[in-house]
Amino acid sequence: MLVGKKPVLGFLLAIVAGTTIGSFKALAQDATYIGVFRNQSLNNHNSYRARHHSLNLSANSTLNQGALDWAKYLAANGKFEHSTSTQRNSAGENLFVYYTTGTIGATALADKGVSSWYNEVSQYNYKNPGFSSATGHFTQLVWKSSAQLGCGVAQGKKVLNSTNFNAYYVVCRYNPAGNVQGLFPQNVLKP
């Protein structure tokens, strides 16, 4: 997210206890899983954007690769932090992580991640438009002048309160970036 020319950090976290634990194929590392995830993420973004009079985003392979690389970095290092503006070539960025003791399908993960960002709409004040850390994911998602999207997902491990979780790290990047101060009224429109 950008405020002025500086990135603003923001992220969402979801924890769900599953019914199984043990070894399984790292689904989020599989090319088919990533492809399904990307398609569903793009469809979800465009559905929400249509509600706010924003044109459809198109998939961008450079953004996809950068988002995937960052998701893999987060998963490999057990971190949950934004990349720098330089690392993402000034693109906007939304993050989501989903913890479970089981697995989650690509479509369900895309639905959960994108809907969690969009659900911030309930806190957005159209009468006083501007950046808020409580709504920054939503405003980036529907930002009218953003035209391209790239998403990635990678699976890692996380121990929380002595429980072993499978951690699915989701990264989506937007070009041009949204959340630019002074441009909210023309880029975040009422449904």
Side-chain angles (χ1 to χ4, degrees):
M1 292 178 276
L2 292 179
V3 175
K5 299 284 184 190
K6 296 183 180 181
V8 175
L9 301 181
F11 51 84
L12 289 174
L13 168 72
I15 300 176
V16 173
T19 56
T20 62
I21 191 163
S23 63
F24 60 91
K25 184 178 179 183
L27 294 174
Q29 314 297 336
D30 176 83
T32 301
Y33 186 101
I34 292 168
V36 170
F37 171 81
R38 284 178 172 156
N39 287 335
Q40 186 67 25
S41 293
L42 180 62
N43 290 338
N44 290 348
H45 273 81
N46 288 334
S47 176
Y48 288 128
R49 288 173 61 82
R51 294 181 190 178
H52 295 269
H53 316 284
S54 295
L55 296 176
N56 283 348
L57 296 170
S58 62
N60 178 284
S61 60
T62 301
L63 291 173
N64 274 336
Q65 188 60 54
L68 178 60
D69 290 346
W70 191 249
K72 287 179 177 179
Y73 168 81
L74 296 174
N77 294 286
K79 294 185 176 186
F80 193 63
E81 61 192 27
H82 281 279
S83 60
T84 67
S85 180
T86 302
Q87 288 171 314
R88 60 181 182 267
N89 295 322
S90 299
E93 182 174 81
N94 277 346
L95 303 179
F96 176 81
V97 64
Y98 184 79
Y99 295 124
T100 180
T101 55
T103 61
I104 185 170
T107 300
L109 182 60
D111 291 347
K112 286 183 182 300
V114 178
S115 68
S116 71
W117 298 329
Y118 181 78
N119 288 340
E120 293 175 358
V121 65
S122 65
Q123 299 176 62
Y124 189 71
N125 184 352
Y126 293 97
K127 293 179 182 176
N128 186 22
F131 180 78
S132 163
S133 60
T135 61
H137 302 99
F138 155 70
T139 53
Q140 173 58 85
L141 192 157
V142 300
W143 195 262
K144 189 171 186 173
S145 65
S146 291
Q148 298 174 319
L149 177 72
C151 294
V153 58
Q155 188 218 328
K157 298 287 184 184
K158 188 74 170 182
V159 177
L160 297 169
N161 299 327
S162 301
T163 301
N164 293 313
F165 286 96
N166 298 310
Y168 292 82
Y169 293 87
V170 171
V171 177
C172 286
R173 291 186 174 170
Y174 308 81
N175 187 44
N179 291 336
V180 179
Q181 282 297 24
L183 300 180
F184 281 79
Q186 62 265 42
N187 281 286
V188 182
L189 307 177
K190 275 184 147 180

